[in-house]
Amino acid sequence: MPLQQGSARMRQRTVLLLGIVVLLAALVLAVVLASLLTHGRHEVGPKMLKWKDRGTTKNLQEVVLGRCYNYITAQHPELGDKDCLKIWESLKDAFIYKNPCNITPEDYQPLMELASHPIPCNKSLFWSKTGDLVHRYTKSNQNFLTLEDTLLGYMADRISWCGDPSAPGINYESCPKRNECESNPSSVFWKMASKMFAEAACGVVQVMLNGSVEAGAFRSSSIFGSVEIFNLNPDKVSEVHIWLMQDIGGPQSESCSGHSIQRLISILEERNFKIICEDNYRPVQLLQCVHNPDHTDCRLCTNST
Amino acid sequence: KWKGEGTTQNLESIVIGRCYDYIRIVNPSIGEKNCSQIWEAFKNAFINKDPCSILPEDYELFINLTFHTIPPNKSLFWENNQLLVNSFADRGRRYMSLGDTLFGFVGDFLNWCGQADSPGLDYESCPTTMECENNAVESFWRMLSIIYAKHSSGVIHVLLNGSAAGGAYPQPGFFADYEIPNLQKDKISQIVIWVVDDIEGPDIDSCGAHSVKTLETRLTALGYDVTCTDNDK
C-alpha cells in the first residue's frame, strides 16, 4: 500500500541519514584524535622534567647512525662486522623512557659490548684538560688513539641525550647537569666508556696533561684521575708516558717536577708502572706553534736540540 | 667493470648523518637545512645516468640547498697535505677549508657512482678519472672547488706540500684549474702562500723555485698581492 511503502522509504532514508551522520562524526573524531596525537608527539609533554643542561641533540638517531657507518665504513673497515642499527638501538634503549637521574652501568652494558673493539698496543692516549690540543694531534698523527677516536667515543663526542618517563621518552629541551644528579645518562656513559678504554690499553700508554691550569695538571676529581689510572692493567701496560703541555706564552703553572705530577707518579709507581714525564713534548708543541709561529718557544732551532 | 672502488657502503646514512652532524654540532651558525632533501639532490645528480656523463652543473641543486657563506679571510686552499690542513684549520674554527663547509663535509673521503637505466648505486666499481673525466666524484669536487673559490674573500691562504713528488703546485690540479680561475679579484685583498715540507721529508719545492715560482708568477700576473713563506712552523 502506498502509505506503508512511503513510511518504509522514509525509514530507509532516516537510517541512511543516520548512517551518514554517524560516519561523519566518526571521521571528525578521527581527525581530531590524529591531530592531538601528532601534536603531542612534537611538543614537550607538560609532565616532562626540567633540567639545567642542554637537551638531547636533535636528529640524534641520524647523527649517531651516520657516525657509526662513517667510522666502520670510511675509516676502519676492519670493524665491518659491527651492526650500526643494533648499536643505535642499544644506545636508545639505555635511556629512553627512563628517569635521567637513575641511569646505571647495566643500562649501557649491551651498547658497550656491541660497540667495543680492541685497541692496538702502545697507541692509547689519555688526556685531561687538553681536549682541543689532543684531538688536533690525533687528527694529524694517526699513531695515537684517544677515547674519542674509538667507535664508542666517536659516536658520542659532543652530543647529548637523556630520557624522561613521559612520552615521547626523549627530552629534547633539557638534560640533568652533573651537579643535579650524578647518575645521569652522559656521566654514566663517559665513566663506563673511560673505564673500558683504560682496561683495553696495553704496552706503553700516553697521557697529555695541561701545565697551564691553575688548579694543577693532575686532578683526582677528573675522569683520568678517578677512573682511568685505576683501570689500567699492570699485566698489560708496561709504561706510562706523561706529556705535560703548557700553553704557548701561557702560564707555566706546573711542570714535571710539580706537586700534582709527583702525586700522579707515586700513585702509578705504587701500581708497578714505569713512568716517564716530558715537559712540552716536542711533536705536540710543534702543533701549538702552528698558531703561534712568532713566539720564542717556536723557533725552529732551540737550545735544547 | 670499472677500475675504481665502488660506492661507499651505507652512503645515504653517512651523507644524511654528516649533514645533521654539521648543522647540529659542527657549525650550527649556518641555520636549518633539510638533510633528506639534500641527500635527494645529491643522489639525483648522478643516478640513472651513464657514470661517465656526470657534469659539475648536475650538482647545482645540491649546492643551492647546502650553500652558506664563507667568512672573509678564512679560506684555506691546499694541495697534497690533507692531514696537515685538518689540524691547521682546527675544524673550521681557525680557517674554513672546503672540507669544513657543509657541502664539502658531506662528501669528504667518500666514493660514489650510479649506472645508466637503473636507480641504484654501483657498489662494485666506479670509473676512475683516467677512465673518464666526467664521473660523479670528479665532477662533484670540480663544482665545489668552483663555488668555494667564487665565494672566498679577504686574505686567502694556500697551503702547499714542499715535499710532494712532482712539485708543491700540481698542474693539472684542482687549485690550478678550478680554483684560481674562479677567484674573484675584486673581493680578494691578498694571497698568502705557505710551503710546508713533511717533517723529516725532502725539501723538493720552495718559494721562488720550480712549481711554486710558476704559481707566484701566475697569481702576480693576474694582479694579486702575493706573499710566500717557506716551512711554516
Side-chain angles (χ1 to χ4, degrees), chain A residues 32-50:
Chain A
V32 168
L33 267 173
S35 72
L36 271 178
L37 283 171
T38 51
H39 191 51
R41 214 183 295 142
H42 292 303
E43 188 176 71
V44 175
K47 289 196 225 112
M48 258 199 195
L49 302 161
K50 290 187 169 49

Side-chain angles (χ1 to χ4, degrees), chain B residues 191-209:
Chain B
I191 301 186
V192 175
I193 304 170
W194 286 315
V195 183
V196 186
D197 297 338
D198 293 334
I199 294 192
E200 286 168 32
D203 179 16
I204 294 180
D205 234 346
S206 28
C207 294

